[in-house]
Amino acid sequence: MKSVLLIGMGKFGCTLGERLLKMGDEVVVVDKNEDVIDALAPKYENALITDCMVFDNLRALDIPSFDVCLVTIGDNFQASLEITSNLKDLGAKRVISKASTEIQRKFLMRTGADEVIYPDRDIAEKLAVRINSTKVINYIDLDSEYSIFEIAVPAKWIKKKLVDVNPRGKFGMNILSVKHGKEVISSLDGNFVFSEEDQLVVFGNTEKILAFTNKQKK
């Protein structure tokens, strides 16, 4: 469970807040719009009407007490910049800010954000991957070169042993786990046999895995 300060309750902030609550986190939501907070108050123990552009208002929230501070303001980039900077000045442990463009991402990083999320770009990239490779179910970028992918088992692997397929040696792909129906298998030995319904969680070079999945029969 994390203690989270969520600043900016637009559509993205509201969706994120609801998800965090379902995961059991302690979430304090903040917006300067009274109507927005009034609508959210029944869902949250702490829903505050506060203009976080005012430094003293931000300081009153006891910023160091939160595990993570999220800045998800979508319509005022200047506010995002100032609040991100002030959060770090007030001792925030971790600040994650939302960007709408690549240039915004760069400025937020320079201002002090520990991480910048770029939802429109991320969704577009994931959709492009899924359109071009029906075997890819989902993926997470770890850095500019490596990712974790969830993929459907390749047809040529079905009924074959892991040792015979040799995904690491032949394709530079490390299998982290296999979802077999409702069962998740995280420790695989060489005698593991792939089944048609298997879904694989694999780690490796992003370009190599995409090239591999694009070659698989649809």
Side-chain angles (χ1 to χ4, degrees):
M1 181 178 68
K2 299 287 186 180
S3 58
V4 180
L5 176 64
L6 180 53
I7 301 173
M9 299 307 294
K11 291 181 179 179
F12 180 81
C14 287
T15 302
L16 179 58
E18 289 179 8
R19 182 60 179 165
L20 292 170
L21 282 179
K22 289 179 180 178
M23 296 179 72
D25 294 324
E26 295 180 352
V27 185
V28 176
V29 298
V30 182
D31 199 286
K32 66 180 181 179
N33 188 312
E34 183 176 353
D35 292 337
V36 169
I37 294 300
D38 285 346
L40 293 173
K43 298 180 180 180
Y44 296 88
E45 291 187 13
N46 293 292
L48 307 175
I49 305 167
T50 301
D51 185 355
C52 290
M53 286 280 282
V54 179
F55 188 82
D56 287 342
N57 291 349
L58 204 58
R59 179 165 52 190
L61 298 174
D62 189 17
I63 300 305
S65 67
F66 294 97
D67 294 315
V68 59
C69 297
L70 301 164
V71 184
T72 59
I73 299 170
D75 58 353
N76 188 338
F77 181 59
Q78 183 63 34
S80 294
L81 279 176
E82 292 188 23
I83 292 170
T84 297
S85 177
N86 288 337
L87 285 169
K88 296 303 291 186
D89 290 343
L90 288 167
K93 296 173 185 174
R94 186 181 181 201
V95 178
I96 301 175
S97 300
K98 174 179 174 289
S100 299
T101 66
E102 180 63 20
I103 192 66
Q104 287 185 5
R105 186 192 69 80
K106 291 179 180 179
F107 276 114
L108 286 165
M109 291 297 293
R110 291 173 185 172
T111 302
D114 297 292
E115 181 180 346
V116 176
I117 53 174
Y118 191 168
D120 291 343
R121 181 196 62 184
D122 294 344
I123 291 171
E125 288 182 352
K126 288 182 184 296
L127 180 58
V129 168
R130 287 168 51 204
I131 288 171
N132 283 280
S133 180
T134 57
K135 290 292 182 180
V136 174
I137 300 165
N138 201 357
Y139 81 101
I140 301 171
D141 285 325
L142 299 181
D143 58 25
S144 60
E145 293 186 33
Y146 293 92
S147 299
I148 294 174
F149 285 78
E150 183 180 359
I151 65 174
V153 63
K156 291 182 178 180
W157 295 12
I158 296 171
K159 296 183 179 180
K160 290 185 178 180
K161 293 182 178 181
L162 177 62
V163 66
D164 296 325
V165 172
N166 190 17
R168 180 184 298 178
K170 293 181 179 179
F171 311 110
M173 183 188 307
N174 294 282
I175 299 180
L176 304 179
S177 65
V178 175
K179 184 178 180 181
H180 182 80
K182 295 182 178 180
E183 181 184 8
V184 176
I185 306 167
S186 57
S187 296
L188 305 176
D189 61 30
N191 290 319
F192 176 83
V193 178
F194 294 99
S195 300
E196 185 175 358
E197 66 271 23
D198 287 345
Q199 294 179 1
L200 318 179
V201 178
V202 302
F203 164 78
N205 179 273
T206 304
E207 291 187 3
K208 288 183 178 179
I209 293 179
L210 285 176
F212 170 80
T213 57
N214 284 335
K215 291 179 181 178
Q216 306 308 306
K217 291 182 179 179
K218 299 186 189 310

